[in-house]
Amino acid sequence: MTGSTLFDVRVVALREEAPGVVSCELRAVSGELPPCPPGAHVDVHLPNGLVRQYSVVQAGTGSYHVGIKRDPESRGGSAFMAESLRIGSRLRLGAPRDNFPLAASSGRVVLIAGGIGITALLPMARSLEESGRDWTLHYAVRTVEDVAFKPAIRDLGDRLRIHASSAEGCRLSIAGIVEQQPAGTHFYCCGPAPMLDAFSKATASLPREQVHLERFGAEPTSGGQEFMVRLARSGATLPIGADQTIIDALLAAGHDAPYSCQQGICGSCEVKVLEGRPDHRDDVLTAAEKASNKTMMICCSRACSAELVLDL
């Protein structure tokens, strides 16, 4: 990753929150950490050289709490965080990125979380409660034993609805929830891909400004056509293969560019598009921003035109 202010932190607490889910409190080695709005995430720089993104479940001036789900198919990020961290371990953090913000609205809010997606929505629930807003949180898990952050969850009271798929009559119906809400309700969803697909389908007829979701990863970059990228500042031209990302091609050719997650969810690789039409595959830009084609995320997005000219 390049082009980011980093903060030195130390692991001061580790706790098993649910089977396969660990919370980690990261405290600044010195000074304070930046304010962190509800729904934001941070880039965590691991000693093994990887950079991973985690939602901040709770934030103070000197510490952040993040939640980690141990992924059986981990490429080294969640496995390291869940198994190798110890009290006293040192890490580095990027400043919080707020790609999943609470809208400035006074109307009703419905939060829908699936599994580890609760890490993004739990701080939203706290913020809504503190501001006196009308809200409900629906939390889908496989069994009640899989509910994470139980003390904080209990504090939400009767605004919380837990949906355990293993219990008869408790399965989550996103379409049913959406149908029951009054006009003007804002909906937020964070969870696995099938849940987000169902959420998108259930909210398809609603105004886009009322629908908010966060994915754990962008669409695959493979399966596209080859295209060319021209770098406006240097004049260099690079071919991008069908199974290659723009950022990979840049780095292989010795060009520097900002990046972090390489999954289209953090926003650090956003670049201005001067000519051409991008094939947007990120989950950071809004629909209006994608339609304008003024910028793109070069870690995952491709091209609909034969060539892109980028401000690099």
Side-chain angles (χ1 to χ4, degrees), residues 124-137:
M124 287 189 177
R126 291 198 195 97
S127 177
L128 291 165
E129 181 66 17
E130 292 170 359
S131 62
R133 301 272 297 276
D134 179 17
W135 64 275
T136 300
L137 169 61

Side-chain angles (χ1 to χ4, degrees), residues 51-64:
V51 181
R52 293 293 182 263
Q53 289 69 41
Y54 296 99
S55 295
V56 178
V57 186
Q58 187 171 349
T61 56
S63 69
Y64 297 154

Side-chain angles (χ1 to χ4, degrees), residues 93-273:
L93 301 181
R97 299 180 186 276
D98 192 14
N99 298 328
F100 190 44
L102 274 171
S105 169
S106 59
R108 177 166 170 73
V109 173
V110 173
L111 310 172
I112 303 174
I116 196 63
I118 191 65
T119 56
L121 297 184
L122 185 53
M124 287 189 177
R126 291 198 195 97
S127 177
L128 291 165
E129 181 66 17
E130 292 170 359
S131 62
R133 301 272 297 276
D134 179 17
W135 64 275
T136 300
L137 169 61
H138 295 268
Y139 181 15
V141 292
R142 189 175 62 85
T143 71
V144 292
E145 287 74 23
D146 293 316
V147 172
F149 307 100
K150 291 181 177 64
I153 287 293
R154 284 194 293 268
D155 289 342
L156 300 181
D158 59 5
R159 292 184 182 270
L160 171 70
R161 307 285 188 274
I162 294 178
H163 304 264
S165 60
S166 62
E168 186 175 352
C170 291
R171 293 183 65 89
L172 176 70
S173 171
I174 295 178
I177 291 170
V178 172
E179 291 172 358
Q180 295 170 7
Q181 306 310 313
T185 297
H186 277 255
F187 297 89
Y188 296 78
C189 186
C190 184
M195 167 180 278
L196 296 178
D197 291 342
F199 176 78
S200 296
K201 182 178 180 180
T203 57
S205 64
L206 298 178
R208 292 299 87 192
E209 63 270 18
Q210 294 174 215
V211 179
H212 318 268
L213 62 82
E214 183 172 59
R215 294 186 183 273
F216 297 139
E219 297 178 41
T221 58
S222 61
Q225 299 294 318
E226 295 183 2
F227 60 97
M228 302 297 292
V229 165
R230 180 155 54 90
L231 310 182
R233 299 181 198 175
S234 67
T237 300
L238 299 174
I240 311 299
D243 295 321
Q244 187 180 34
T245 66
I246 297 175
I247 189 66
D248 284 344
L250 287 169
L251 297 177
H255 299 281
D256 191 24
Y259 71 97
S260 178
C261 73
Q262 296 182 275
Q263 300 180 74
I265 58 176
C266 76
S268 63
C269 68
E270 185 173 3
V271 170
K272 289 182 180 179
V273 178

